[in-house]
Amino acid sequence: MAPNMRDVQLTEVDIDGAGAGEEVRLLDSYDEENLNKLDENLKRIQVRVTGMTCAACSTSVEGALMGVNGVVKASVALLQNKADIIFDPSLVKDEEITNAIEDAGFEAELLSEPTVSRTNLHGTVVGQFTIGGMTCAACVNSVEGILKKLPGVRKAVVALATSLGEVEYDPSVISKDDIANAIEDAGFEASFVQSSEQDKIVLGVVGISGEMDAQLLEGILSKLHGVKQFYFDRVSSELEVVFDPEVLGSRSVVDGIEGGSGGKFKLLVKNPYTRMASRDLEESSRMFRLFTASLSLSVPVILMRVVCPRIPLLYALLIWQCGPFQMGDWLKWALVTVVQFGIGKRFYIAAGRALRNGSTNMDVLVALGTTASYVYSVCALLYGAISGFWSPTYFETSAMLITFVLLGKYLETLAKGKTSGAIKKLVELAPATATLLVKDKGGKVVGEREIDALLIQPGDILKVLPGTKVPVDGVVVWGSSHVNESMVTGESAPVLKEINSVVIGGTINLHGSLHVQGTKVGSNTVLSQIISLVETAQMSKAPIQKFADYIASIFVPAVVTMSLLTFFGWYVAGVLGGYPEEWLPENGNYFVFSLMFAISVVVIACPCALGLATPTAVMVATGVGANNGVLIKGGDALERAQKISHVIFDKTGTLTQGKAKVTTVKVFSEMDRGEFLTLVASAEASSEHPLAKAILEYARHFHFFDEPSDTSEFKTYSEQAKFSGWLHDVSDFSVLPGKGIQCSIDGKWVLVGNRKLLTENGITIPSNVENFIVELEESAKTGILVARDNTVIGALGIADPLKREAAVVVEGLIKMGVKPIMVTGDNWRTARAVAKEVGIEDVRAEVLPAGKAEVIRSFQKGGSVVAMVGDGINDSPALAAADVGMAIGAGTDIAIEAAEYVLMRSNLEDVIIAIDLSRKTFARIRWNYIFAMAYNVIAIPVAAGAFFPLLKLELPPWVAGACMAMSSVSVVCSSLYLKRYKKPRLTTILEITIQ
């Protein structure tokens, strides 16, 4: 299985549009220009532009460049002070481009970086970065905007829920360090996690004790043939090595360093997922420390306001005059100042970078609200000391608001840890070490060696003892045992593994010892691909989230406007006598009265929960799906799946078991049965069609009473037959798609196939033969005709048993309001018979592979959301054309790559699970938006004082802060409720009703 992965693979990024309509990766949501049509003679240069101060400047430079005749594309990066220009050198020269920039009022300098003749379309890599400091959707939009403007960056998408950014970039134009620096220049924290390059390894180095050791390490790496570049971080003792995979492997790098140091250095491979988990833990710990510190300083402030006045001794101490202020005022001021500018410093920093980037976010609102209450309280104290008129202070508002916000952020970090639990569980399935069998030059095993599982290379022979995990995907070369593959299949029944059996990394060897030859390692293993697929889906953005991000981006300015209107409305009304002075707090005035309402509006309307509504639910749902054997490739797939109205099933291998068996043989000539079967088997021996394999298996069993072994996955039947000596020699063999095969045996022309094959060759089918074929087809069997020298000599009936759950699943879909349809290339009679058995009324038979996609489009034209369930290469066009493609996990790589859902267990019940989980997920997302907005819709009017004239109902700023924090907590808890999802059982599927 090889879905289109990212992160840890060095697969060239497909940007040719081959997967149009599919959003498999997070980056697929980016709208890019189609640069594939660029002329080969185009030239690309980079120019340093100085004098730009804002986005308007960069826009001006871009406009000046695009106005130059011959310039095809111009991209200006404000933060990098660079312009990236693609142009036709036959129409414009380099100096004319720099002159155009200077004419626009800026300074231009042509950079001496190597130029390329055209855009490096297939040289891009995908890098993943952790981004700290993001607090809401507005931050996400800001970071994405910054990244997309960088030269060499083709795509960039940032996920708030995972604090991750995924950037597709050209490493010949911009480095990962440049990208991280650009993020940090914008005021956020950034660190590189991993990229799609496989020729890179990150190692922890033990044994570096001084400068001499560091120089020794550098000397070893400099002499190691195949190492391109390296970087050693002396603070973290991490070594990053980039090497040529055609010259040496990752284990060779480790062995070369350890051997060159004489054993002084010990290297540990750094797992990128483990590194990310440690960062998440650090972030959670840091937020907890900030929250507890703020709480410990805020509680005394609240106690001084609420409790101490009721305790005479303490109250007397608080009102004791100490200089110009009372002791209580001094204490409040001191405690809140630490909270405001010490613990709350992060809000000022975040608000500053947001405003510097021309955006607003949650931090701006928090900074505005807390600063307003703090500054007012300080001014009230100073004014009282000067005038003797003491107004009430609201220090506790600032302190408690910061405390509640930090509580919400801490709970969010905990939620992120829980929602990414599926990835952590999958990572834990991978074995840490493996036992490598060491061989001499002659291939003889001379010893064993324990190595890190991340250092296994293709071709390694590994020893797997009973009770241990299979370290990597491979093939058994010695031994016999049973293996628990429930990790992938969901079935706990042990699977027998003998020589030539395929094993999957992470599965558990139960009994005997095995020797396994590694075939797929690193990111190519099934487990790594599942991890990458789940992670990609958790980072993806559903279309509904994009709308929420847009709302969040304009929400903060709207809130500030509402707050100002609230303040001026109440203040002007008070000054003009619009309400009695009895409403004012003790020693208060109209300004204070109005300000408190305005601060409450700013605090309560924070949109942070809005940005969490969709991604947290998607993260949980993809994790739950993976635990149930359903891999979902993104939030967009979830959103489409919940709207499915039609499900189109392929027949062979999807509704049926895909294991065709010959059930009937009839000879219509003088030839005996054995001779007839030998003739047919000889003709089919060169074919790879499933029906041909079924005929070969039946013929061999007829002659030798021998059941075929499990080696069919590694040897074709033609290879097995070649050495058997019982088949005839065949010449002029050819396959006729959709009809059958033809060849020459002993000088006689032999045809094996369907009616069309025979009639097109002018062969008449006798009535008794036709009646026999019709009888087979009406009993859901496929009839195969055999002719020699223009005469029909016999026929075979082949049956492909239905999957036991097929009929129940079809009935369950109908109960859910989804119409099932079967599309097959088989004949009408067989197709109708199979459809009748499973309960499908709409059947499309004799459809070629390309025709399946046309059937799907015909339903889509009518407004239907169509899902396609298939497994073969011929199903991949239909899987790509469908709104939701569902690939059977045991199917082909191409089918899996074209689909949005992968049903790992090859069980049709998972179609029900996929649709049911999608519906429940989006029902939960709708609830999330209700939770995210309910506080705002209900509480903003209360915070603004709309009900105060009638009910004297108000919302103090610190209570507004609590409500704001609880909105995020409510959304996260609502998403986590999806973890309680229980898949429908076959016994209860029929109880499902249309939602």
Side-chain angles (χ1 to χ4, degrees):
M1 181 185 70
N4 188 16
M5 294 298 153
R6 52 163 190 74
D7 294 337
V8 288
Q9 288 183 315
L10 186 58
T11 52
E12 293 180 338
V13 181
D14 177 17
I15 52 176
D16 293 326
E22 303 173 43
E23 293 190 18
V24 176
R25 297 198 345 263
L26 170 66
L27 289 172
D28 290 340
S29 61
Y30 177 86
D31 296 327
E32 62 174 314
E33 297 182 30
N34 183 8
L35 297 179
N36 295 344
K37 299 180 181 178
L38 288 180
D39 191 277
E40 293 287 346
N41 296 320
L42 292 183
K43 185 179 179 182
R44 181 178 190 173
I45 62 172
Q46 288 189 349
V47 178
R48 184 178 302 281
V49 184
T50 56
M52 297 187 297
T53 58
C54 63
C57 297
S58 61
T59 303
S60 177
V61 175
E62 285 185 2
L65 289 170
M66 292 305 297
V68 178
N69 182 32
V71 173
V72 176
K73 185 174 185 249
S75 176
V76 179
L78 175 63
L79 294 176
Q80 300 294 316
N81 292 318
K82 287 182 183 179
D84 189 69
I85 305 107
I86 300 172
F87 63 98
D88 187 343
S90 65
L91 298 177
V92 62
K93 298 180 179 179
D94 296 3
E95 54 267 25
E96 291 175 331
I97 291 176
T98 57
N99 290 338
I101 298 174
E102 291 173 351
D103 291 341
F106 303 91
E107 297 179 10
E109 176 188 358
L110 185 65
L111 296 177
S112 58
E113 298 178 5
T115 59
V116 290
S117 59
R118 66 170 293 174
T119 306
N120 184 13
L121 294 177
H122 296 287
T124 57
V125 296
V126 178
Q128 193 177 77
F129 299 79
T130 57
I131 303 175
M134 297 189 299
T135 55
C136 64
C139 298
V140 171
N141 295 334
S142 178
V143 176
E144 284 184 355
I146 291 165
L147 290 173
K148 290 176 182 178
K149 291 180 180 178
L150 295 177
V153 172
R154 293 185 57 79
K155 303 176 183 178
V157 176
V158 177
L160 174 64
T162 56
S163 296
L164 290 175
E166 192 172 88
V167 184
E168 183 185 327
Y169 63 96
D170 185 345
S172 66
V173 178
I174 188 172
S175 70
K176 66 179 187 300
D177 294 329
D178 293 333
I179 295 173
N181 290 336
I183 298 172
E184 291 176 348
D185 288 343
F188 298 91
E189 300 171 4
S191 61
F192 176 75
V193 179
Q194 58 189 353
S195 76
S196 58
E197 296 175 307
Q198 279 187 323
D199 56 354
K200 183 180 297 182
I201 186 171
V202 180
L203 304 165
V205 185
V206 179
I208 302 290
S209 57
E211 182 65 26
M212 294 295 293
D213 291 334
Q215 291 179 4
L216 173 61
L217 176 63
E218 293 176 359
I220 295 171
L221 287 166
S222 300
K223 296 177 182 178
L224 197 58
H225 182 58
V227 171
K228 295 179 179 179
Q229 63 185 50
F230 56 87
Y231 172 73
F232 178 61
D233 187 336
R234 303 190 183 188
V235 177
S236 63
S237 294
E238 284 191 354
L239 173 66
E240 183 180 291
V241 182
V242 179
F243 57 91
D244 185 350
E246 295 183 0
V247 178
L248 76 169
S250 56
R251 189 167 73 244
S252 303
V253 173
V254 173
D255 291 344
I257 297 173
E258 291 183 343
S261 68
K264 180 177 179 60
F265 301 148
K266 179 66 177 176
L267 302 182
L268 305 173
V269 184
K270 296 288 186 177
N271 188 316
Y273 295 105
T274 304
R275 295 165 69 203
M276 288 172 59
S278 65
R279 289 192 182 100
D280 291 341
L281 183 60
E282 290 174 5
E283 173 67 11
S284 180
S285 299
R286 184 172 56 140
M287 293 308 304
F288 181 72
R289 289 195 300 270
L290 289 173
F291 164 66
T292 53
S294 180
L295 181 64
S296 62
L297 294 174
S298 300
V299 168
V301 178
I302 295 294
L303 293 177
M304 280 187 277
R305 173 128 188 182
V306 179
V307 178
C308 291
R310 293 174 172 79
I311 304 175
L313 182 61
L314 291 177
Y315 186 64
L317 180 62
L318 293 178
I319 62 174
W320 175 50
Q321 196 71 23
C322 185
F325 310 123
Q326 295 177 350
M327 180 58 72
D329 294 329
W330 283 114
L331 290 174
K332 290 179 184 178
W333 192 354
L335 291 171
V336 175
T337 299
V338 175
V339 175
Q340 184 75 29
F341 300 107
I343 299 172
K345 178 179 66 174
R346 66 188 308 275
F347 297 109
Y348 284 103
I349 295 174
R353 68 174 170 241
L355 295 173
R356 187 167 64 247
N357 294 321
S359 63
T360 52
N361 58 15
M362 180 197 79
D363 300 295
V364 173
L365 296 181
V366 175
L368 281 175
T370 57
T371 302
S373 59
Y374 178 85
V375 170
Y376 162 76
S377 299
V378 172
C379 291
L381 283 180
L382 297 176
Y383 181 75
I386 295 172
S387 66
F389 181 80
W390 298 93
S391 299
T393 59
Y394 294 93
F395 283 117
E396 68 279 355
T397 295
S398 299
M400 293 308 298
L401 175 55
I402 290 175
T403 301
F404 282 126
V405 173
L406 291 173
L407 172 61
K409 297 305 296 179
Y410 169 63
L411 293 176
E412 286 175 26
T413 60
L414 290 180
K416 288 178 185 178
K418 290 185 178 181
T419 53
S420 60
I423 292 179
K424 293 178 182 178
K425 288 180 181 179
L426 290 170
V427 172
E428 290 170 359
L429 290 175
T433 60
T435 302
L436 174 68
L437 296 180
V438 182
K439 296 184 177 181
D440 58 18
K441 294 182 178 179
K444 182 179 179 181
V445 176
V446 294
E448 298 177 1
R449 174 189 171 192
E450 187 171 322
I451 62 172
D452 192 302
L454 296 174
L455 297 178
I456 298 173
Q457 298 175 169
D460 286 346
I461 305 297
L462 307 162
K463 184 177 182 179
V464 186
L465 296 174
T468 62
K469 294 179 180 179
V470 177
V472 71
D473 293 5
V475 178
V476 176
V477 295
W478 179 88
S480 175
S481 181
H482 284 81
V483 174
N484 182 351
E485 295 185 341
S486 59
M487 173 198 81
V488 175
T489 64
E491 300 293 337
S492 58
V495 180
L496 177 64
K497 298 295 179 180
E498 299 176 311
I499 294 177
N500 290 331
S501 295
V502 173
V503 290
I504 301 172
T507 56
I508 300 174
N509 181 25
L510 298 178
H511 303 298
S513 295
L514 296 174
H515 289 179
V516 174
Q517 182 176 25
T519 56
K520 293 182 179 180
V521 301
S523 60
N524 291 322
T525 64
V526 170
L527 181 58
S528 293
Q529 291 171 351
I530 293 173
I531 293 171
S532 292
L533 191 57
V534 173
E535 185 187 38
T536 301
Q538 290 186 345
M539 290 181 65
S540 67
K541 292 186 177 182
I544 191 175
Q545 184 183 344
K546 298 172 186 176
F547 176 73
D549 290 347
Y550 170 75
I551 295 297
S553 66
I554 63 174
F555 200 70
V556 175
V559 169
V560 174
T561 302
M562 284 191 293
S563 176
L564 292 174
L565 291 176
T566 299
F567 173 77
F568 286 112
W570 278 104
Y571 184 73
V572 172
V575 172
L576 297 178
Y579 54 85
E581 292 187 4
E582 290 79 12
W583 289 4
L584 302 179
E586 184 180 358
N587 295 330
N589 54 38
Y590 296 121
F591 179 85
V592 176
F593 188 63
S594 305
L595 181 63
M596 290 302 100
F597 284 123
I599 292 175
S600 294
V601 170
V602 168
V603 173
I604 193 65
C606 181
C608 54
L610 196 64
L612 295 170
T614 298
T616 52
V618 170
M619 288 178 70
V620 176
T622 50
V624 169
N627 291 336
N628 286 281
V630 178
L631 298 184
I632 308 166
K633 292 187 178 179
D636 57 311
L638 272 168
E639 185 162 350
R640 290 196 300 269
Q642 52 109 17
K643 301 176 183 176
I644 290 173
S645 58
H646 293 72
V647 174
I648 294 179
F649 289 97
D650 173 50
K651 179 176 76 69
T652 305
T654 302
L655 289 173
T656 66
Q657 295 179 14
K659 298 177 181 178
K661 293 184 178 181
V662 176
T663 59
T664 308
V665 175
K666 191 163 187 176
V667 182
F668 297 101
S669 66
E670 300 290 332
M671 188 180 298
D672 63 40
R673 181 183 291 263
E675 185 181 353
F676 171 75
L677 287 174
T678 301
L679 180 73
V680 179
S682 300
E684 292 284 11
S686 298
S687 174
E688 293 298 326
H689 195 280
L691 298 185
K693 294 180 180 181
I695 293 172
L696 271 169
E697 180 181 327
Y698 183 87
R700 187 172 63 179
H701 179 65
F702 178 86
H703 284 292
F704 305 106
F705 299 99
D706 177 34
E707 292 293 341
S709 67
D710 293 335
T711 61
S712 58
E713 295 186 40
F714 306 96
K715 295 182 180 180
T716 63
Y717 277 92
S718 58
E719 290 174 328
Q720 297 175 33
K722 181 178 179 181
F723 301 102
S724 61
W726 62 282
L727 298 178
H728 301 305
D729 292 331
V730 175
S731 60
D732 299 324
F733 175 85
S734 62
V735 176
L736 303 173
K739 302 173 186 176
I741 60 101
Q742 61 184 16
C743 63
S744 177
I745 299 178
D746 295 334
K748 296 182 180 181
W749 202 242
V750 177
L751 302 177
V752 182
N754 56 23
R755 293 183 185 86
K756 183 180 289 188
L757 175 64
L758 270 61
T759 54
E760 288 183 357
N761 283 273
I763 299 176
T764 302
I765 301 175
S767 58
N768 63 323
V769 176
E770 176 65 25
N771 292 336
F772 176 74
I773 295 297
V774 169
E775 183 180 342
L776 289 175
E777 292 172 346
E778 289 178 346
S779 59
K781 298 176 183 177
T782 300
I784 302 295
L785 294 165
V786 182
R788 184 175 64 173
D789 281 349
N790 298 323
T791 302
V792 177
I793 61 172
L796 301 94
I798 300 180
D800 186 0
L802 288 170
K803 290 182 177 178
R804 59 183 181 181
E805 74 276 8
V808 179
V809 169
V810 167
E811 189 173 353
L813 288 172
I814 296 173
K815 290 281 187 178
M816 295 174 72
V818 178
K819 182 179 179 180
I821 301 156
M822 188 180 79
V823 179
T824 179
D826 211 337
N827 65 81
W828 278 100
R829 286 194 184 92
T830 303
R832 286 195 187 99
V834 171
K836 184 177 180 180
E837 283 191 55
V838 297
I840 295 178
E841 296 181 358
D842 195 340
V843 182
R844 312 295 169 94
E846 298 180 2
V847 178
L848 296 175
K852 294 180 181 179
E854 292 300 321
V855 172
I856 290 172
R857 294 188 186 99
S858 67
F859 284 103
Q860 290 172 332
K861 290 178 182 178
S864 300
V865 177
V866 183
M868 171 70 193
V869 185
D871 70 318
I873 293 176
N874 61 339
D875 295 326
S876 56
L879 288 168
D883 296 292
V884 180
M886 297 184 182
I888 298 296
T892 64
D893 292 350
I894 296 176
I896 291 171
E897 189 169 335
E900 284 87 4
Y901 281 70
V902 180
L903 312 181
M904 294 298 297
R905 302 184 306 163
S906 300
N907 191 323
L908 289 179
E909 179 186 354
D910 293 343
V911 176
I912 294 282
I913 295 175
I915 298 176
D916 185 55
L917 177 59
S918 301
R919 290 180 175 181
K920 284 184 169 58
T921 299
F922 265 80
R924 185 55 48 185
I925 288 175
R926 295 184 186 99
W927 274 109
N928 285 354
Y929 281 117
I930 292 175
F931 287 129
M933 298 301 297
Y935 290 90
N936 295 332
V937 173
I938 297 173
I940 285 179
V942 179
F947 301 104
F948 188 81
L950 294 176
L951 305 175
K952 298 298 182 292
L953 181 62
E954 61 179 331
L955 198 66
W958 70 273
V959 177
C963 292
M964 182 272 293
M966 288 306 299
S967 65
S968 296
V969 174
S970 299
V971 166
V972 170
C973 292
S974 174
S975 294
L976 290 175
Y977 188 78
L978 277 171
K979 294 177 74 72
R980 298 171 60 88
Y981 174 81
K982 300 294 184 182
K983 63 181 182 181
R985 299 288 180 181
L986 285 174
T987 54
T988 59
I989 282 177
L990 300 184
E991 299 176 7
I992 295 176
T993 56
I994 301 174
Q995 296 181 349

